[in-house]
Amino acid sequence: AACFLKTPQFMNSDMASEIMLAKECFTHKTFWPRSWYYSTEIRLLHTQLIASPLFAFTSSWLTVKALSAVILCLALPFSLLFLLNTLKVKSVWLKLLCSLLIFLPWSDTMWGMVQLGNYYIPHIALSFVYTALFISLAYTEMTTKKTKIFTVLFFALAFISGLSGIRPILNFQLPIAATIIALAIRRMVSKQEEFKFSRFFIADKPVFYASANIVLGGIGYVANSLVLKKIFSFSSWNEAVFNAIGDIQFSDVQRDILGLFGFRSNVLVFSPAGMANVTLYVAAFFFIVCFALYLKKQESGYNRRIFIVLAAVIIVINSFVTIHTAYVDRYFIPAFVYCIPCFALFLESAELSLLKKYLLGVSSAVALITSSFVMYSKILMADGNGDKNAVCRFLDKNYSFGYATFWNANVFTFLTNGRVEVADIGNRAGEETLPREIEFLWLSPDFYWEENYKSDVPVFFLVTQEEYERSPEHNIFKSGREVYSDDFYRVFDYENKRTFINSFSNAE
């Protein structure tokens, strides 16, 4: 219901681009159109696989977005259940609780990036399924037929994950390889075994699948860099650099990780949000205690203990990369969602005391459910795009094509159901009032920049009042005719595309 009712209020240009890509896929009858300018990575197994076919049944962009959000959200509990079943979690109530917890929006970040935005759902679902396949193949006895099916699927996903870009490799492929190979080396050294390649990499099932996983992922990434990069337009992570030590403070990391699970600053202690904060600290404490005790118990099922170690390595590696490179709080999501299956294993453990399990279970459930209740209350009361309503009606009535800076481009295309197409001229980070180059080839179709596209109709240039006030003498404004102004936006009219582009090129 929240997706159908509140999507227009939470829509932004990033989120709108997902539906624009889906529409482009439907138009060109391919899930991977070459006519689209991608962003940080190519979308191979992404939201367009679900959203694009929905255009066959409706022309409403809002309906497509809402339906795809609901369908994609179901991938979270189903992929989690597949993982929990692989780990032999038997309690039905526990699996249902975990499915509920991962389905809920604990925080603004989870709501914007997962439940409504859907950006990370393919990453999370794929990593859960991938990890479950690895554990099944490496540590579980299966029928020959099932083993063959799982092996083919695992190898295919290993290659496709690497083909998608570096992030799946860092998120789960590298941690699996590093963990399993390191444990095997430790065992070999402790037993003073002689190293033999065939025995180490072939005969040892966990090492074989862990090694194949990273090799196939690496081959996929090479293909991504050398082949797909030449066919499609997307950014590369090859130029990533380390932050300077000290750039990211511990307080920033603490705030963002706790904030991911729903911690809110500056709220009353004796309020739902305040109580959620307290129980979140309690849950974090007992989660760490149970984690340490679980690993010490040798009686635990080996595949479960391996999973706990894998989850820890996934969190550590991803946190290290996030903190030391392009630090963004949402990058913690694909790693820290592994706390949910760990939570299930702790509560079903026979080795942990009933008191510890009770305190962990109650505090975690109360913290996440209460945070989600607070978040839903905020969602139902919010109207993040109220400032766009009036200018949106004006544009929809008078234009079919125009230009704006990034955060005011795709969002207006979505809000007008595609009737008004807005090309992006940059300024994504908001550091400059207007960019020097007009073309910003990012999350948009290429036909926007074709010379003959919409060449014979008047076009507009939309700017915020802040953008205008920073440089009111800018030549681009003098070359146009102001046709609209309110408290938030100004709109300038130009005879055609060529007039606007020439004016922008001559702007100082």
Side-chain angles (χ1 to χ4, degrees):
C3 291
F4 280 93
L5 294 175
K6 305 304 293 186
T7 289
Q9 285 72 36
F10 284 90
M11 183 56 56
N12 59 43
S13 285
D14 260 345
M15 199 183 304
S17 70
E18 299 289 300
I19 303 304
M20 291 176 63
L21 171 58
K23 181 66 173 180
E24 193 75 0
C25 292
F26 180 74
T27 300
H28 291 274
K29 301 300 182 287
T30 174
F31 288 122
W32 307 282
R34 295 179 63 183
S35 59
W36 181 260
Y37 293 115
Y38 298 86
S39 55
T40 55
E41 59 193 1
I42 185 171
R43 269 63 163 172
L44 291 181
L45 300 179
H46 208 63
T47 59
Q48 79 271 20
L49 301 182
I50 300 298
S52 177
L54 296 178
F55 277 106
F57 306 98
T58 178
S59 60
S60 169
W61 289 32
L62 173 58
T63 302
V64 169
K65 172 57 187 172
L67 280 176
S68 62
V70 173
I71 295 170
L72 282 162
C73 280
L74 293 176
L76 293 174
F78 281 119
S79 60
L80 177 62
L81 287 173
F82 179 62
L83 176 59
L84 294 180
N85 287 332
T86 300
L87 296 172
K88 309 300 182 186
V89 174
K90 294 182 172 57
S91 302
V92 175
W93 71 268
L94 184 54
K95 290 192 281 190
L96 292 176
L97 175 60
C98 291
S99 298
L100 173 65
L101 293 181
I102 203 165
F103 190 81
L104 294 174
W106 317 320
S107 61
D108 296 82
T109 305
M110 287 294 292
W111 167 252
M113 303 307 299
V114 180
Q115 277 78 17
L116 180 64
N118 303 148
Y119 308 106
Y120 285 141
I121 288 180
H123 296 286
I124 296 169
L126 177 61
S127 69
F128 281 171
V129 171
Y130 190 87
T131 303
L133 288 173
F134 171 76
I135 291 174
S136 296
L137 291 168
Y139 299 104
T140 306
E141 293 296 329
M142 299 183 293
T143 63
T144 302
K145 182 179 179 180
K146 189 174 182 180
T147 299
K148 289 180 179 179
I149 294 173
F150 276 29
T151 299
V152 171
L153 184 58
F154 179 72
F155 286 169
L157 290 179
F159 176 75
I160 294 172
S161 296
L163 190 65
S164 300
I166 194 65
R167 286 203 276 191
I169 295 177
L170 294 175
N171 285 348
F172 50 86
Q173 290 186 286
L174 177 61
I176 287 175
T179 301
I180 302 306
I181 293 175
L183 289 175
I185 293 174
R186 177 175 176 269
R187 184 196 65 234
M188 185 178 67
V189 171
S190 65
K191 293 184 178 180
Q192 298 182 340
E193 297 176 351
E194 180 184 0
F195 173 79
K196 290 185 178 180
F197 183 89
S198 60
R199 184 171 62 187
F200 187 83
F201 285 105
I202 308 299
D204 190 316
K205 281 204 308 180
V207 174
F208 171 75
Y209 286 109
S211 301
N213 136 80
I214 197 64
V215 169
L216 289 171
I219 294 173
Y221 184 66
V222 170
N224 172 281
S225 301
L226 299 182
V227 180
L228 295 188
K229 191 70 173 66
K230 295 180 180 180
I231 300 175
F232 300 93
S233 174
F234 58 92
S235 299
S236 172
W237 288 83
N238 295 336
E239 293 80 23
V241 297
F242 275 100
N243 296 327
I245 293 178
D247 280 356
I248 307 301
Q249 303 295 321
F250 175 78
S251 58
D252 296 330
V253 178
Q254 178 190 15
R255 179 198 63 223
D256 292 337
I257 292 176
L258 289 175
L260 173 64
F261 289 97
F263 186 91
R264 290 173 172 80
S265 303
N266 302 316
V267 297
L268 294 174
V269 174
F270 297 105
S271 67
M275 297 307 296
N277 287 349
V278 174
T279 52
L280 181 59
Y281 269 112
V282 175
F285 173 78
F286 280 102
F287 185 90
I288 294 171
V289 169
C290 289
F291 175 84
L293 293 176
Y294 195 92
L295 286 183
K296 290 176 64 176
K297 300 292 185 180
Q298 299 298 320
E299 300 84 7
S300 301
Y302 192 66
N303 61 343
R304 291 187 173 194
R305 295 183 68 245
I306 285 293
F307 173 78
I308 296 297
V309 175
L310 279 176
V313 175
I314 287 172
I315 291 173
V316 169
I317 289 180
N318 281 270
S319 297
F320 177 86
V321 173
T322 299
I323 293 169
H324 288 87
T325 55
Y327 183 83
V328 183
D329 60 348
R330 64 178 179 270
Y331 290 170
F332 287 115
I333 293 175
F336 278 87
V337 291
Y338 273 79
C339 291
I340 298 296
C342 290
F343 168 81
L345 295 185
F346 297 158
L347 291 195
E348 201 173 71
S349 170
E351 289 82 39
L352 297 177
S353 71
L354 183 62
L355 178 61
K356 291 184 180 68
K357 292 193 290 185
Y358 178 82
L359 291 173
L360 172 64
V362 171
S363 59
S364 299
V366 169
L368 297 184
I369 292 174
T370 304
S371 294
S372 300
F373 170 79
V374 172
M375 189 62 214
Y376 270 125
S377 300
K378 180 179 178 180
I379 290 168
L380 295 176
M381 297 296 293
D383 186 5
N385 286 323
D387 60 333
K388 296 178 175 62
N389 293 335
V391 68
C392 190
R393 288 192 294 269
F394 172 80
L395 295 177
D396 200 5
K397 181 179 179 181
N398 295 283
Y399 296 94
S400 63
F401 189 80
Y403 299 85
T405 50
F406 178 79
W407 292 113
N408 293 302
N410 293 348
V411 61
F412 277 101
T413 301
F414 180 92
L415 293 175
T416 59
N417 204 55
R419 293 184 296 272
V420 179
E421 296 172 316
V422 189
D424 180 5
I425 65 165
N427 196 25
R428 188 172 191 272
E431 295 177 354
E432 298 178 0
T433 303
L434 294 175
R436 294 182 180 180
E437 296 181 1
I438 185 172
E439 291 188 8
F440 186 57
L441 309 182
W442 184 273
L443 296 178
S444 63
D446 61 4
F447 60 78
Y448 281 0
W449 303 105
E450 293 177 358
E451 185 175 353
N452 294 327
Y453 185 73
K454 301 284 185 178
S455 60
D456 57 348
V457 298
V459 301
F460 65 87
F461 181 39
L462 179 144
V463 292
T464 65
Q465 290 290 1
E466 182 181 4
E467 287 172 332
Y468 177 80
E469 290 166 2
R470 285 177 181 171
S471 53
E473 300 302 317
H474 202 291
N475 190 58
I476 190 65
F477 298 132
K478 296 178 182 178
S479 301
R481 177 173 60 93
E482 184 176 317
V483 292
Y484 179 89
S485 179
D486 61 21
D487 292 339
F488 310 102
Y489 296 96
R490 289 178 188 251
V491 178
F492 293 82
D493 176 271
Y494 301 83
E495 183 180 357
N496 51 47
K497 283 177 66 174
R498 180 49 53 192
T499 301
F500 173 76
I501 292 173
N502 289 341
S503 299
F504 196 94
S505 300
N506 298 328
E508 297 180 358

